[in-house]
Amino acid sequence: MLTISFQSCDPDETQTVTTLNDLVMVEEFEGSTLDSSLWSFELGDGSEEGLPGWGNNELQNYTDREENLNVKNGVLTITARRESFEGSGYTSARIVTKAKFEKQYGRIEARMKMPWGAGLWPAFWMLGENIDEAGWPQAGEIDIMEYDGSEPTVVHGSVHGPGYSGGNAVTKSYEFRDERLDTGFHTYGIEWGENYINYYVDDVLYNQITPDSEGLSGEWVFNKPFYIIINMAVGGSFVGPPNADTVFPQTLEVDYVKVYE
């Protein structure tokens, strides 16, 4: 297990953060369609799951249309649009590996380029495979990367579980000093093992969460398989609604997703 003090986190400091190198899953978005053997779409506004607004006061309707998700030239694009669609004022896309690829421990990373604008909420995250039985937050949630489009130099990494969920999640932010995340690709990932999750951006380790982390007041629920989610919400409790300056459409670009053990 890698143990590092995080009392001073210099955004320009490079640390050894990757120790797992056996590639067990790679998605480089080749071809012109989403790989249905690995990914499924989650559709709608959450109402069919009993979660209107997907439980976060989100404003979009998720679709499987090419206007919202496209695979071309080795890049997955998820595009948020301002349009009237099935009762919602915005559309976007959300894909999951649920029941197709689930992993307990490993290095999970994605190379991504962010959108920009208030009210945009792209995320690369994971849910416990027992979510349907245990519910949230008991099943656990690992947010590898969350981003508020109104803060184009900052990303966040968090965990949610029983007693530390929603606004009480255990979280830490990473801020770039001289670069915006909507102008280039960066790699966002975790290295996850029994009783620890290490967070990194590119070659910088910026957080480690363990059962003893400050604010983690409930049960540690991360020693089991999880599945991967990539989505871009519009609005929601974390970022608030778009404003008059938010330009649509906005696109999240994903170059690859890789998993090592």
Side-chain angles (χ1 to χ4, degrees):
M1 175 175 170
L2 184 63
T3 302
I4 290 180
S5 171
F6 296 94
Q7 293 179 354
S8 61
C9 181
D10 185 341
D12 297 322
E13 181 181 0
T14 298
Q15 303 176 11
T16 301
V17 299
T18 56
T19 59
L20 305 173
N21 297 296
D22 183 9
L23 187 64
V24 295
M25 191 276 273
V26 57
E27 168 62 282
E28 295 183 314
F29 302 107
E30 299 175 347
S32 58
T33 59
L34 193 66
D35 181 357
S36 61
S37 70
L38 181 61
W39 302 99
S40 300
F41 286 92
E42 291 192 326
L43 304 175
D45 65 358
S47 295
E48 290 191 6
E49 289 74 18
L51 296 169
W54 293 98
N56 295 305
N57 300 309
E58 297 170 23
L59 303 175
Q60 80 292 325
N61 192 299
Y62 288 128
T63 88
D64 58 1
R65 305 178 307 162
E66 289 189 2
E67 294 94 325
N68 295 116
L69 185 143
N70 195 26
V71 177
K72 186 176 181 180
N73 298 326
V75 176
L76 167 75
T77 58
I78 294 178
T79 301
R81 298 181 178 275
R82 193 195 325 255
E83 59 180 328
S84 179
F85 187 88
E86 296 185 357
S88 300
Y90 302 88
T91 59
S92 186
R94 168 168 162 156
I95 56 173
V96 303
T97 66
K98 185 178 182 181
K100 296 182 176 181
F101 179 84
E102 297 167 349
K103 190 76 174 70
Q104 179 173 343
Y105 309 145
R107 170 177 151 206
I108 299 99
E109 64 180 29
R111 186 171 182 262
M112 314 173 84
K113 181 180 177 182
M114 299 298 117
W116 177 73
L120 300 174
W121 183 4
F124 172 46
W125 53 300
M126 305 179 76
L127 282 174
E129 53 82 26
N130 63 332
I131 184 70
D132 292 338
E133 296 76 34
W136 186 91
Q138 183 66 39
E141 175 179 328
I142 302 171
D143 297 326
I144 301 172
M145 185 288 303
E146 287 188 288
Y147 169 85
D148 178 345
S150 68
E151 299 181 322
T153 62
V154 182
V155 291
H156 312 272
S158 310
V159 297
H160 302 252
Y164 50 99
S165 62
N168 295 315
V170 179
T171 188
K172 189 169 184 177
S173 303
Y174 178 86
E175 183 170 8
F176 282 74
R177 288 181 173 175
D178 302 309
E179 187 172 359
R180 292 170 56 109
L181 303 183
D182 59 322
T183 60
F185 283 87
H186 295 277
T187 302
Y188 307 94
I190 57 170
E191 281 210 341
W192 164 36
E194 185 175 1
N195 295 330
Y196 73 95
I197 305 172
N198 291 338
Y199 285 76
Y200 65 91
V201 176
D202 295 329
D203 293 324
V204 179
L205 174 62
Y206 73 95
N207 195 16
Q208 181 179 81
I209 299 176
T210 74
D212 297 323
S213 292
E214 182 178 356
L216 206 153
S217 56
E219 179 188 359
W220 178 264
V221 290
F222 307 103
N223 293 333
K224 63 186 178 189
F226 278 61
Y227 63 88
I228 297 169
I229 306 168
I230 302 174
N231 71 291
M232 178 157 59
V234 180
S237 53
F238 178 58
V239 300
N243 61 28
D245 296 325
T246 308
V247 176
F248 286 91
Q250 287 285 336
T251 298
L252 169 69
E253 300 180 49
V254 187
D255 181 27
Y256 63 71
V257 179
K258 295 180 180 180
V259 178
Y260 301 80
E261 62 181 23

